Amino acid sequence: MPAVPSWLSDPLWDQFAALLPPRPATDPTHPLGCHRRRVADRIVFDKLLQVLRFGCSYQGIADSTCSATTIRNRRDEWIQLGVFAQLKTIALNAYDRLVGLLLDDLAVDGCITKAPGGGEVAGRSPVDRGKQGMKRSVMVEARGIPLGRVLAGAHRHDSPLLASTLDRLDDLGPLPATITVHLDAGYDSQKTRDLLTARRLTGEIARKGVKAPIQATRRWHVERTNAWHNAFNRLQRCYEPKEDVVNAYFDLADAIITIRSLIRHAWILYRWDTRPTRRP
């Protein structure tokens, strides 16, 4: 069973491969000139997609085509090159150019997941009997396209992470004159309102003690995006100890979510010769 359908993995790989530097198939400095061939980048990329989607270990996904050590080494090499972050940025820019980001309404929310192995972004979870957990503060636009995130331990409250999450807006270029940020009751404080006012943002914050259906807002987009993220088992139950590795997997997941939405919206908005007869 493929981790990602071919109509999504093929364009994802085409863009990813364009960001990789050229590398020879064999080591030209080998004294005997008989060094074994380098494992193809596409094989390693597919293995990383399987790790992200299924949450399996590197040893569990390794086979005769690629070892666990090769997967980890190539992953770290690509992280140092910044390929995962570039892929996410390119996907976001393509979506903005072809479909358009709806930045007038933003939503921010936190989500706690398990982190059994601990790590740099793990902490005692208040909802899991003090076990190790990770919190992500996610910001999305009006359709749920992820714009940025902040990772922290599960013991951190949502509201102190709001400022650093909103800082991700600086990477998006020109912004609308009026932006409304939709928040749940966990952000209901004067400190949050002062923060939004200082940034010239309008806040629509749920009031504490009021039932959700009565004050339903546009926060459901970020809840759905959290569900999209949790569909990737590596993010739902994270065993990675290093923050840069976790961010790399989130960048890859964000790129998948963005490209998937882009393809589905483009099927309605545009026509081309090879356009599928059915919407993906």
Side-chain angles (χ1 to χ4, degrees):
M1 178 181 178
V4 178
S6 59
W7 60 265
L8 181 54
S9 63
D10 288 345
L12 190 70
W13 163 249
D14 290 341
Q15 183 58 68
F16 191 88
L19 298 173
L20 298 178
R23 293 286 297 272
T26 57
D27 187 1
T29 63
H30 194 275
L32 300 179
C34 58
H35 193 274
R36 62 183 180 181
R37 298 181 64 85
R38 187 171 185 263
V39 177
D41 290 332
R42 179 63 191 266
I43 294 177
V44 181
F45 181 75
D46 288 340
K47 294 293 185 184
L48 289 177
L49 286 180
Q50 294 175 37
V51 171
L52 173 65
R53 176 63 181 85
F54 303 128
C56 51
S57 65
Y58 297 107
Q59 289 78 9
I61 205 64
D63 54 22
S64 59
T65 63
C66 184
S67 67
T69 301
T70 300
I71 298 174
R72 286 192 291 264
N73 290 343
R74 202 73 60 87
R75 175 206 67 190
D76 294 340
E77 175 187 339
W78 291 342
I79 290 175
Q80 291 179 359
L81 292 173
V83 179
F84 294 102
Q86 294 177 52
L87 180 67
K88 177 200 169 184
T89 301
I90 291 174
L92 199 62
N93 291 337
Y95 184 95
D96 190 21
R97 184 172 64 255
L98 296 175
V99 180
L101 293 171
L102 303 180
L103 300 177
D104 298 287
D105 290 285
L106 306 178
V108 179
D109 196 14
C111 179
I112 295 178
T113 56
K114 294 179 179 294
E120 298 175 353
V121 288
R124 290 175 57 86
S125 175
V127 297
D128 195 18
R129 297 171 293 174
K131 296 180 181 180
Q132 291 293 298
M134 178 180 66
K135 171 169 285 190
R136 61 177 184 265
S137 177
V138 179
M139 177 175 59
V140 304
E141 50 92 70
R143 290 194 187 99
I145 301 299
L147 303 177
R149 88 203 72 85
V150 172
L151 303 179
H155 61 284
R156 297 287 303 278
H157 195 271
D158 291 349
S159 55
L161 302 176
L162 179 61
S164 52
T165 305
L166 292 175
D167 288 340
R168 301 300 184 268
L169 289 174
D170 299 337
D171 303 330
L172 299 179
L175 298 174
T178 303
I179 299 178
T180 302
V181 182
H182 302 269
L183 303 168
D184 64 16
Y187 299 89
D188 185 15
S189 67
Q190 188 58 43
K191 183 177 180 180
T192 298
R193 293 181 175 85
D194 293 340
L195 171 66
L196 296 176
T197 302
R199 293 172 179 259
R200 299 181 180 179
L201 302 174
T202 303
E204 186 171 339
I205 307 174
R207 295 286 183 176
K208 295 179 180 179
V210 181
K211 296 297 183 180
I214 300 176
Q215 51 180 349
T217 64
R218 298 183 181 180
R219 288 187 295 105
W220 69 271
H221 295 285
V222 70
E223 303 289 352
R224 183 181 60 179
T225 303
N226 281 329
W228 286 342
H229 279 144
N230 289 337
F232 299 97
N233 287 345
R234 196 66 172 185
L235 306 181
Q236 183 185 29
R237 191 178 183 89
C238 184
Y239 288 91
E240 299 292 348
K242 296 182 179 180
E243 183 177 4
D244 58 349
V245 177
V246 181
N247 272 314
Y249 277 120
F250 267 105
D251 287 337
L252 183 56
D254 287 349
I256 293 174
I257 292 172
T258 304
I259 294 177
R260 181 177 60 195
S261 298
L262 171 59
I263 293 174
R264 289 175 173 172
H265 281 93
W267 190 89
I268 299 174
L269 298 175
Y270 300 98
R271 298 291 185 271
W272 61 94
D273 294 338
T274 58
R275 177 177 178 267
T277 57
R278 298 181 61 184
R279 186 180 181 186

